[in-house]
Amino acid sequence: MIVISPDLKELAGARQLPHTYTHDGKGTKLCLWRPRYGEWRPSMKLSETYVPWTAEWLLYFEHWLAIDEWAGGGEHPSNENSKPLTEH
């Protein structure tokens, strides 16, 4: 999922955005699921996966903006290869 507006990087200021992937296009690519664990498949409904996962990510993002702590758990992608590496 890519958020085009609002500009999440602008909202984050000088802080590095948590749970995002490197993305060359416009917007911010969210880290919503762990590909290496097969948590999403094309046969799954977007209304039951991507839509609620994005809403949840945005809730945690708002929380992170306020207190500078990611409370959403999960794994963070590395900047080098865009694959989740570190368990949190």
Side-chain angles (χ1 to χ4, degrees):
M1 178 66 65
I2 297 172
V3 175
I4 296 173
S5 180
D7 185 334
L8 301 182
K9 291 177 184 175
E10 184 177 309
L11 291 173
R15 298 179 287 177
Q16 183 174 346
L17 288 170
H19 280 284
T20 59
Y21 288 104
T22 301
H23 174 64
D24 293 333
K26 184 175 180 180
T28 301
K29 187 174 182 180
L30 308 183
C31 176
L32 300 176
W33 54 282
R34 300 175 300 178
R36 69 177 173 198
Y37 296 111
E39 294 175 327
W40 184 83
R41 294 175 307 284
S43 62
M44 299 171 115
K45 293 182 179 181
L46 295 179
S47 63
E48 295 175 359
T49 56
Y50 267 75
V51 173
W53 293 346
T54 300
E56 183 177 37
W57 190 99
L58 291 169
L59 173 72
Y60 287 120
F61 175 73
E62 292 281 338
H63 183 259
W64 174 79
L65 284 176
I67 68 166
D68 203 26
E69 179 180 319
W70 185 261
E75 296 178 357
H76 296 275
S78 76
N79 291 331
E80 297 167 3
N81 60 15
S82 295
K83 290 184 181 179
L85 295 177
T86 307
E87 184 75 36
H88 288 276

